[in-house]
Every structure is written in C-alpha cells, then in structure tokens.
Amino acid sequence: MPLLLFHGGFGSIHDFQKVIPELAKHFRVIAIDSPSEGRSGQTDTLCYQLLADYYSEFIDKMRLDSVYVIGWSDGGNSALLLAYGRPDKIKKVIISGTNSDTDGYAPGGTESIGSWNLQTAKTDFKDWVADYIQRSPQKGNWEQTFWNLKKMWLTKLVISNDKLGLIKSKFLIVLGDNDFITLEHGITLYHKIKGSEFCVLPNTTHQVFKERPELINNIGIDFFAGK
C-alpha cells in the first residue's frame, strides 16, 4: 500500500528522514514537498485547501487506487481536508500536531505568530531560510513564502466540525504531551472524527518525527496493519 508523507510548515520531506528507512520496509513510501517548500515550485498564495488539492491531484496523476497518509502539522491539517474530499482514495491517516481551528493553539499562540516579521525568520527560523535557499528552485522567494505561511497559520478555520464528522477514513490522532497544539484540541478532533483513535506521546514536543522516530514508527506500523 502506498504511504504518503505530508510535512509541516518551514519544512520539506527532510522532516521525515528519521522515520522513512523503517517505514519503507513496510510500505511504498512517497514523501512530497508541499507547494512553495522544499524543491516544489512557488505558488502565489497558500492555504490548506490548496495543499489538499495539490495532494489530491498527485494521487490521481500517480494513478494510486488507495493510500495511507501520515500528515504532520500543516501536512496533518491538509490531510483532514483531503480525507474529507477524497474518501475514495484515503483509507487510513495518522496526523500529528494538527489543528482544525486556531483555537487549537496554546494560549498566546495566535498573538505570537501575528507578531512575526522577516527579522523573526532570519533569527528564530534561520535554519529554514538556509534550507529554503539551498533546495528551492526559486531561491529568492523565501520572503513571500514566509508571509504566505504566516497568513495561512492565522486563518482561523481549517475545516468545520460538520465536515470532520463526515470523514470516512480511519484516523489516528497523535500529539506530543508538550505540543503547542493543546491536548484538549486533540481530544476534540478525536470526538469529531468518528471511529478515530487518540495517542499522546510522553516527553515530546511538536517535533514528534525528530524526537521519537522509533516510537511513532511502531505506533504507525501497528495502526496501518490493523483492521
């Protein structure tokens, strides 16, 4: 079964480097650089629906009958929309660090993101800027991507509760116990997505795939193997 990996903002497929080798022993792993990041081309704007549409078109062009998905952060947000829109293709999904609404951010999160500027990017996110310049086919566009990502993160609604309730794919919702997405929001997603499972990883932040690769792999392989 193909397993698609959707990375987070300020990232690329490099985010999954610690989990791909083991996952590739069990699945046909396909890791995708999202629009405007990694080695993918630049888009004028960014929104979660655009990412979901991008992945949906990729599935069709690759002629994949059905797929599993792991989505982290922005990749998880877009995976919610993809699962809602493509029940014919998306069978099982693991999401981590995912929010359906900015209410899922820890207190002060929206205000913090709102205060970010280019100097913030150059200091706090300098590794992303350097990686972007190294990988992107449009190296000079990192500033536009930064503003587009910020705008996307401040858009209040990702997907409505009504749509979450109509999702047919099997979901596993994962959160680190120190994620900036609150545990309360993870529980909300668990209650809204029918038949979903919920898992909290101890001593873990938002960076699940870097900090606990063996644990998330074991949990993921078990989840995908189950009925």
Side-chain angles (χ1 to χ4, degrees), residues 83-108:
Y84 168 75
R86 295 303 304 270
D88 58 319
K89 296 292 185 180
I90 312 303
K91 301 308 177 186
K92 291 187 177 183
V93 182
I94 297 175
I95 54 174
S96 179
T98 295
N99 60 292
S100 62
D101 187 293
T102 56
D103 289 345
Y105 294 157

Side-chain angles (χ1 to χ4, degrees), residues 133-173:
I133 292 172
Q134 176 187 352
R135 297 174 187 274
S136 176
Q138 289 110 3
K139 302 180 184 302
N141 288 348
W142 73 266
E143 294 182 4
Q144 179 185 350
T145 298
F146 171 81
W147 292 123
N148 287 345
L149 285 168
K150 175 181 173 178
K151 181 179 179 181
M152 182 170 72
W153 295 333
L154 290 174
T155 302
K156 180 170 172 45
L157 186 66
V158 177
I159 182 172
S160 69
N161 287 336
D162 288 343
K163 289 182 178 179
L164 288 175
L166 295 174
I167 287 176
K168 304 299 182 183
S169 311
K170 179 72 173 179
F171 263 73
L172 170 61
I173 300 155

Side-chain angles (χ1 to χ4, degrees), residues 66 74 87 101 133 201:
S66 59
D74 286 356
D101 187 293
I133 292 172
L201 303 187

